[in-house]
Amino acid sequence: MEESSAERAPDVRTLTLEAFADTVIPGEKRWPGDRAIAGVSIGGGSVQAGALAVLEMPEGGMAPALDDVVAALNVHAEHHRDRVGLPTNEEVPPFTALPWADRTAVLNELTAVGHPEKELWTGLALFCYMAFDTGAHLPTTEALATGHPGLTLMRFQTPDTDGLWRFPDYSYRRPLSKLHPDTLENGSLK
């Protein structure tokens, strides 16, 4: 079913954060006119993996600052746009309007050693990685059942039929230690 233009008209905050997340771990466009996702990769990236949900989780502490982060990122994008001579685009926020290579250039500058805001932008990028690598905003079984792009790409093992993960083949191909004599069948100690 084709999405209506009203369903595809996210706000400045969403468009900017999605464009940032897509620059960190790119994915494919969700629909032909998708502006936030540059579409430089095949499959889902950090946006499809839930980067916005992870950024907005109260446990992460970023949510209250996101409006200011978006404003700052768009100012950096405007400076970059003007410095390299790109045209102004009023249809979408300044960072979202940048071509992918220019988005990457802005992020490289913001995360460079010595940049005064490096910790902020590196931290924001880590939330995008966390969404892709762990699906931190979802129970792992739910993320796997819904085809989470990062966990799927990593071939994350699904649990046994009882919902528990067991690894009979040991990642090092040998047990790292003997089981404690008080270990119960479920893996817990008495």
Side-chain angles (χ1 to χ4, degrees), residues 64-154:
L66 289 176
D67 288 336
D68 292 334
V69 166
V70 165
L73 182 57
N74 282 318
V75 167
H76 286 295
E78 288 171 342
H79 291 157
H80 175 83
R81 177 197 68 209
D82 295 344
R83 187 172 59 246
V84 300
L86 293 171
T88 301
N89 180 334
E90 300 294 332
E91 294 177 18
V92 292
F95 187 76
T96 307
L98 294 175
W100 192 79
D102 290 286
R103 291 179 186 180
T104 302
V106 170
L107 263 57
N108 284 339
E109 180 182 329
L110 295 176
T111 59
V113 173
H115 191 281
E117 299 171 9
K118 177 186 177 194
E119 289 80 13
L120 167 67
W121 303 111
T122 302
L124 196 68
L126 287 174
F127 279 81
C128 299
Y129 282 110
M130 196 178 350
F132 189 80
D133 290 345
T134 69
H137 60 298
L138 298 170
T140 305
T141 52
E142 182 182 330
L144 290 168
T146 59
H148 183 277
L151 298 178
T152 300
L153 180 68
M154 290 186 282

